[in-house]
Amino acid sequence: MVGRLANKVALVTGAGSGIGLESSILFAQEGANVVLVDINLDAAEKTAKIIASKYPNVRTIATKADVGKEADVKAAVDKAVQEFGRLDVMFNNAGIMHPKDDDALTTEEHIWDLTMQINLKGVWWGCKYAILAMRNNPTDESKGLHTGGSIINTASFVAILGAATPQLAYTASKGGVLAMSRELAVVHAREGIRVNSLCPGPLKTPLLMDFLDTPEKKERRLVHVPMGRFGEAIEIAKAALFLASDDSSYVTGADFTVDGGITSAYVTPI
Ligand code: NAD
């Protein structure tokens, strides 16, 4: 098997849709065996079928897990190690944006708690069990396999920018992902475990498009994006591939923005 992830094992959460779907396919194209994790098992199985039709030599496992439950995350990582003997790439990507998440005055506590449970605690658990697995990775120098690995945590551009269209819990959870990832990167750097955050800009995936359901809502955001369009999930998947592969071997603790320029903009072109 050739490719930028040849002989490696990757686990992707939220593998049934959007960024997770495109990244799983791309990781498979680059030679990784992929564990497809989603709370929606049907969606994860559909991703497995797409990969099987395109890359019959790649092995996948589709498994149901709620990343907001520690036991589920542990079981998914255990499955990767039992089936494939190692874990090289952990893409903690699953997340939610709750329609009732609003400003400080109106957001209900249970919406805050649910958002934190999935978007922040879920990433912590993903990191915890990935680190434990990556420490034990068998080495095979002839195949370029080492202990350690690459952890990628999906944050968001809203972790860096404030918005007058608030989703307070979501924003706070993603800020937590950035801070936590940086600290993990430093703590585990000498174990060969790299930890980076991916900060996508606004994308054309169900997560955002279900929410921006009128032209006015879309335009309210697009005016702030220098490129004047929403991003595609595949454009984030390509950045995830870079962080997953050895091409980024000296990159750790980064807040990697892939956002059409939104975090660099003051006044955008008309
Ligand atoms: P999506 O809604 O298209 O896909 C998310 C997937 O995660 C779905 O398949 C869903 O079933 C799964 N999922 C949801 N809750 C889960 C849970 N508790 N456990 C396991 N799986 C779960 O979303 P997307 O746009 O691909 O977003 C992926 C990540 O990117 C999220 O963390 C999101 O916050 C982040 N992000 C998205 C955008 C955007 O504009 N779409 C921008 C910045 C960051």
Side-chain angles (χ1 to χ4, degrees):
M1 181 66 79
V2 291
R4 289 161 74 186
L5 298 180
N7 302 312
K8 298 201 179 192
V9 176
L11 188 157
V12 179
T13 70
S17 176
I19 298 171
L21 166 67
E22 295 296 341
S23 301
S24 300
I25 297 169
L26 192 59
F27 288 3
Q29 180 191 305
E30 292 297 325
N33 292 318
V34 191
V35 181
L36 307 159
V37 175
D38 207 290
I39 198 165
N40 179 343
L41 183 59
D42 285 349
E45 284 174 342
K46 273 190 197 137
T47 306
K49 280 195 188 121
I50 295 170
I51 292 174
S53 68
K54 288 178 152 212
Y55 311 110
N57 292 334
V58 164
R59 289 169 61 204
T60 61
I61 309 169
T63 188
K64 181 177 169 136
D66 176 352
V67 298
K69 294 185 177 153
E70 183 174 9
D72 281 18
V73 177
K74 180 178 185 309
V77 172
D78 286 350
K79 208 171 253 189
V81 175
Q82 275 157 21
E83 289 291 326
F84 299 123
R86 58 187 304 110
L87 180 66
D88 300 283
V89 177
M90 181 76 176
F91 189 11
N92 292 306
N93 164 72
I96 60 158
M97 201 168 73
H98 201 285
K100 289 175 78 182
D101 185 5
D102 199 359
D103 64 19
L105 308 183
T106 53
T107 303
E108 294 166 45
E109 189 178 359
H110 71 102
I111 302 296
W112 173 279
D113 289 345
L114 177 68
T115 303
M116 291 297 168
Q117 189 77 20
I118 294 170
N119 289 10
L120 185 53
K121 261 196 196 175
V123 172
W124 167 34
W125 287 323
C127 292
K128 174 177 171 180
Y129 291 103
I131 289 163
L132 290 168
M134 287 171 177
R135 278 180 175 166
N136 291 326
N137 275 343
T139 57
D140 183 342
E141 297 305 324
S142 67
K143 290 185 174 166
L145 297 175
H146 314 283
T147 55
S150 171
I151 299 175
I152 306 151
N153 296 329
T154 306
S156 169
F157 69 104
V158 300
I160 301 169
L161 290 175
T165 48
Q167 290 166 299
L168 200 69
Y170 183 84
T171 299
S173 71
K174 296 300 188 179
V177 169
L178 280 194
M180 180 172 69
S181 304
R182 227 175 268 134
E183 189 142 291
L184 289 170
V186 175
V187 170
H188 298 285
R190 294 193 187 183
E191 297 179 68
I193 297 172
R194 297 185 295 110
V195 185
N196 291 291
S197 296
L198 195 47
C199 292
L203 305 179
K204 242 188 260 166
T205 67
L207 181 123
L208 190 62
M209 292 302 117
D210 290 353
F211 179 69
L212 303 184
D213 52 3
T214 65
E216 292 72 30
K217 285 187 195 169
K218 289 191 178 72
E219 198 42 44
R220 178 84 169 90
R221 275 82 179 166
L222 280 180
V223 68
H224 298 287
V225 184
M227 287 190 175
R229 65 171 176 88
F230 293 107
E232 302 288 345
I234 186 66
E235 295 177 299
I236 307 303
K238 287 177 181 171
L241 172 62
F242 170 69
L243 294 174
S245 76
D246 294 342
D247 290 348
S248 59
S249 52
Y250 200 50
V251 182
T252 198
D255 305 345
F256 193 4
T257 53
V258 184
D259 66 357
I262 192 169
T263 51
S264 300
Y266 171 31
V267 178
T268 58
I270 298 172

